[in-house]
């Protein structure tokens, strides 16, 4: 079983925080939106979404910073996923 | 009697949660929107909806994850249905 | 006297609930919008409404499920009508 | 002196309620918008309003049902008028 | 010194209410917007305003009914003016 | 050091109120927006801003009336500036 | 590791306030948005963002005044960054 996102949606899997790593990313909490580091698991086809052309910029395997605020959590086969719109992804970590 | 949705609307029927299955999908509650697993029962024609071209991407028989927040519950012939807009469907499970 | 709706508006007449019928539609109440079963009495011409092209999809005589939330109740010649925009009609029952 | 409405605005004059007439229209109050029966006194030119093409559909002398919510009351020469946008007119009574 | 309005803005000067005149216009107060009678003092050039083409319909010297709600009061050389957008002018009195 | 505004933004410097001048402009306070008299210090390039074409109408050296509501105060080299969008400038004083 | 922003997003690094410098910029607090001085670290590609063409105007190395209100704080390799949309950058300091 796998999740196939529609439109401009992206399926993410949260990266385990390695708090002891000196160069690890620490994402401080914030009142309105909680940024998160995650791996891209599946990417929707893009195209016309809500009347606007959306081109997908992220790829499966990317590590991204996203804004958790608008995402939806789903658990499948014992794994937690988050489904977000691409516009809720702020940056790719390279 | 059957429900024929208008525009970009989709008629869904909630899938019974099989909580004892190891690989079952568990959808944790969330304050603002409750994601749900459902089967697609009927799909509207799409076309121009609120001035925007909408192409229907889901098909009858698909199992989908949807955001219950904007849906409307209808009971017909003893069965519960939910009518949502396609944009409230997050992903198809394949 | 009859009501001739403007633009994308539709005049509806609520269907009497036949609660004893086994296959009757039961529409549970909901906090934000109360879905309703009704008969289409008159249909506006559609065309450009609020800058957007609207094509009327429902016909006089259709039985529809609508979202009562945005409608306006009018009583004429002793009969109650509801005037809604077509986008507040969710599905046709066939 | 007369009121010449701009854009998509329409000048209305409320019809006196004839409560004793059997076939009279009774408009029940509603929390958010109070529908009203009125006669059309003057009609704006339409054209481009707020960036959108508006074609005027009502004519002077029409009896209409309107949504009072967004209207502005004006008294001139001892007569009360209401100025509404055409989109606040729900139906013409014929 | 004079005020030269930008875009679709119009400079108005409130007309003194002549309350003893039989045919005078009386503008009753309203909770959300207070309609007002005023003379047009200066008219902006119109053109593209907020991405939308606006054609100025009022002229210097017109007496207008406007909705005071969105206006800004300015006092210059001892005279009070109100700067409104043209869309806040409801009708011209002729 | 100087401030170079982006897009449709304008850098303003508030004009000292000369309260004793007979013909001085007095700008009464208002609950939602406080109009202000200011000198234009720098003007952004305009162009496509938020998907809309904006043509800059004000020039460096203009004295303008602006709506302070949406502006941002900045102090540089001991001088206070306000950065506003051009749409928050109501009129030029000539 | 580096942050590669998507769309119209810009990665900023806050400039240390040198409070003792006579000509330093002092940014007074404000209830709704706190303007900030920062250095541009990375700039997204721009292009079609939310259906609108966005051309990036800032460059890596620019010192900018931004509105912190909509930004997201990220800490990477012990350094604090802020990710904002270009429209939240008010001016470049030159």
């Amino acid at each position: 079983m796998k999740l196939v996102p529609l439109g401009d949606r992206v399926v993410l899997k949260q990266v385990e925080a390695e708090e002891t790593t000196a160069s690890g990313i620490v994402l401080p909490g914030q009142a309105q939106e909680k940024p998160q580091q995650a791996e891209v698991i599946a990417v929707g086809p893009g195209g016309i979404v809500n009347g606007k052309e959306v081109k997908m910029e992220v790829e499966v395997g990317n590590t991204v910073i996203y804004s958790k605020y608008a995402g939806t959590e789903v658990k499948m086969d014992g794994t937690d996923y988050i489904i977000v719109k691409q516009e809720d992804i702020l940056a790719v970590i390279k």
Side-chain angles (χ1 to χ4, degrees), chain A residues 10 12 14 27-28 30-38 64-73 82-92:
Chain A
V10 176
L12 301 177
Q14 216 157 329
L27 299 160
Q30 204 178 18
Q32 288 197 345
E33 57 185 324
K34 299 178 194 167
Q36 304 278 351
Q37 187 175 352
V64 299
I65 302 286
Y66 71 99
S67 165
K68 191 182 175 183
Y69 183 57
T72 300
E73 294 174 24
I82 305 111
I83 304 177
V84 299
K85 288 174 154 277
Q86 183 176 258
E87 68 188 26
D88 295 319
I89 296 178
L90 307 174
V92 177

Side-chain angles (χ1 to χ4, degrees), chain A residues 4-91:
Chain A
V4 180
L6 291 181
D8 61 344
R9 286 196 170 86
V10 176
V11 178
L12 301 177
K13 183 179 159 189
Q14 216 157 329
V15 173
E16 295 298 321
E18 305 174 12
E19 296 188 14
T20 55
T21 306
S23 63
I25 289 177
V26 181
L27 299 160
Q30 204 178 18
Q32 288 197 345
E33 57 185 324
K34 299 178 194 167
Q36 304 278 351
Q37 187 175 352
E39 186 189 340
V40 175
I41 301 300
V43 178
I48 304 298
V49 177
N50 199 24
K52 296 165 189 162
E53 176 75 29
V54 178
K55 188 182 157 209
M56 303 311 285
E57 308 283 352
V58 295
E59 296 172 14
V60 172
N62 281 171
T63 302
V64 299
I65 302 286
Y66 71 99
S67 165
K68 191 182 175 183
Y69 183 57
T72 300
E73 294 174 24
V74 176
K75 181 179 279 198
M76 194 167 73
D77 297 350
T79 306
D80 289 313
Y81 298 100
I82 305 111
I83 304 177
V84 299
K85 288 174 154 277
Q86 183 176 258
E87 68 188 26
D88 295 319
I89 296 178
L90 307 174

